[in-house]
Amino acid sequence: MNAANQIDINKPTINPHLSMIASRSRLLRLLAGSLLLGSIAMPANAGSLISSTDYLEYELPKKVQAQCVERDNCPEIEIKYLKTNHNWINDIANARINNLVVNSKPTESAPIKRKVNQTVVKAAIDDFASSQFIDMPEGSSWAYSLMVTPEYLGHISDFELFEINTYVFTGGAHGMPYSEYLIFDLGTKKQITLDDMLLSGKKPRFEALAYDAYKTWVKTVDDDVSSYEKNWPFTLSDNVTLTDKGIDIRYQHYSIGPYAYGMPVLSIPYSKLDGVIKPHFIPK
């Protein structure tokens, strides 16, 4: 993300699972200080890819800053953008990050329906931060949290693999994590979807393999697959990535299991995908 497209920030300290009460001295440093946020290097092993992340520069609205000091409790915002040496990858990934920030309640594989600029992103974060002092009871020790971070996973053949992780907390028993895979083809300079990977007419077969993987996973959490499936039926997710062993399918919380079961990953080995996915997606 170019500096010219960023917004000024004072970056809060983040706890990725539960927001903690900030001390008054930390709040004053947070609100009054000007913190320089550089990129965090994420070394890539792929031949031509260099990957890192940059913080979104953002400053809480003055009214929210005053409420932070008054209540000794501040919303926690941490947004990172992908920064690689391939601008087309940055454009696709960062557009998705912007979309997740603006939605702030991401849904699985939600498409980007409109181009989101930095003014819209800032307004969405302002609204998110301000809502803490509207929705949360006065004297509450919880702080709202909004985090979005891209991560480089590696590469398979010419395919570069990333994951966007988000965490949203707006009160209640727990926050809501979310994870989304991104696959990029360096040869065609395009993002790859599950449908791009499948041979014509083979989606039903892939779904059957995913269902088998689902039943295998269920056996790790419940002795009775049939009974479990009545409460948490199988659905096919298109949130997939390549690995050195096969295709992984990521599910969000509550998709095929209760929150306590996390975000399940179903794995299908390449040995079962011959004749199902296009040959160039199977590592040689």
Side-chain angles (χ1 to χ4, degrees):
M1 205 76 178
N2 293 331
N5 295 325
Q6 296 178 350
I7 310 162
D8 291 336
I9 185 174
N10 289 323
K11 170 182 169 289
T13 302
I14 297 299
N15 182 316
H17 301 293
L18 292 177
S19 304
M20 305 299 290
I21 304 175
S23 68
R24 183 168 298 273
S25 61
R26 185 175 76 83
L27 281 171
L28 292 175
R29 290 197 303 270
L30 168 67
L31 300 175
S34 177
L35 304 180
L36 178 61
L37 301 175
S39 63
I40 297 179
M42 294 168 56
N45 295 322
S48 64
L49 184 80
I50 300 173
S51 180
S52 65
T53 58
D54 270 349
Y55 285 104
L56 167 69
E57 295 189 2
Y58 168 79
E59 183 177 352
L60 292 169
K62 299 299 182 184
K63 181 179 179 181
V64 174
Q65 293 184 24
Q67 290 170 314
C68 287
V69 173
E70 179 184 350
R71 298 194 187 186
D72 201 20
N73 192 18
C74 200
E76 299 178 332
I77 311 295
E78 184 178 90
I79 311 300
K80 294 180 184 177
Y81 286 113
L82 185 64
K83 184 179 180 180
T84 76
N85 56 331
H86 295 273
N87 289 334
W88 65 274
I89 291 180
N90 300 339
D91 290 343
I92 295 172
N94 293 334
R96 183 59 181 148
I97 289 169
N98 281 341
N99 188 253
L100 292 172
V101 171
V102 169
N103 288 339
S104 80
K105 294 180 180 178
T107 56
E108 186 166 342
S109 302
I112 298 174
K113 295 182 178 179
R114 63 191 177 97
K115 188 173 180 62
V116 176
N117 59 34
Q118 293 301 294
T119 300
V120 175
V121 171
K122 180 183 181 300
I125 300 175
D126 286 351
D127 181 64
F128 180 88
S130 299
S131 63
Q132 172 180 317
F133 299 102
I134 299 172
D135 300 337
M136 299 286 272
E138 190 168 352
S140 172
S141 62
W142 303 114
Y144 274 23
S145 293
L146 173 60
M147 287 161 280
V148 184
T149 303
E151 179 182 357
Y152 177 64
L153 299 181
H155 68 109
I156 300 292
S157 301
D158 288 333
F159 305 107
E160 297 295 348
L161 313 172
F162 293 84
E163 185 174 15
I164 300 176
N165 294 296
T166 78
Y167 178 82
V168 177
F169 179 77
T170 55
H174 52 71
M176 183 57 68
Y178 171 85
S179 176
E180 181 175 305
Y181 292 130
L182 301 176
I183 304 174
F184 298 109
D185 185 341
L186 290 186
T188 62
K189 293 187 177 182
K190 292 182 179 180
Q191 182 180 358
I192 300 299
T193 66
L194 174 60
D195 286 341
D196 295 327
M197 299 165 66
L198 294 172
L199 288 166
S200 179
K202 292 299 181 179
K203 193 163 190 176
R205 176 56 185 159
F206 183 86
E207 185 168 358
L209 291 171
Y211 179 52
D212 288 342
Y214 160 83
K215 290 185 288 186
T216 299
W217 171 78
V218 170
K219 291 176 183 177
T220 68
V221 296
D222 197 298
D223 295 331
D224 189 338
V225 174
S226 178
S227 176
Y228 181 92
E229 190 172 5
K230 290 178 182 178
N231 295 314
W232 299 99
F234 168 77
T235 59
L236 180 62
S237 169
D238 62 359
N239 187 20
V240 302
T241 194
L242 300 168
T243 74
D244 58 345
K245 297 179 180 179
I247 289 180
D248 279 357
I249 310 171
R250 166 80 75 183
Y251 287 82
Q252 310 306 329
H253 285 282
Y254 298 119
S255 293
I256 56 173
Y259 184 89
Y261 292 176
M263 293 184 283
V265 174
L266 308 182
S267 299
I268 305 175
Y270 288 121
S271 60
K272 295 183 178 181
L273 292 169
D274 188 23
V276 178
I277 63 174
K278 297 169 184 174
H280 63 277
F281 288 102
I282 299 178
K284 302 301 182 183

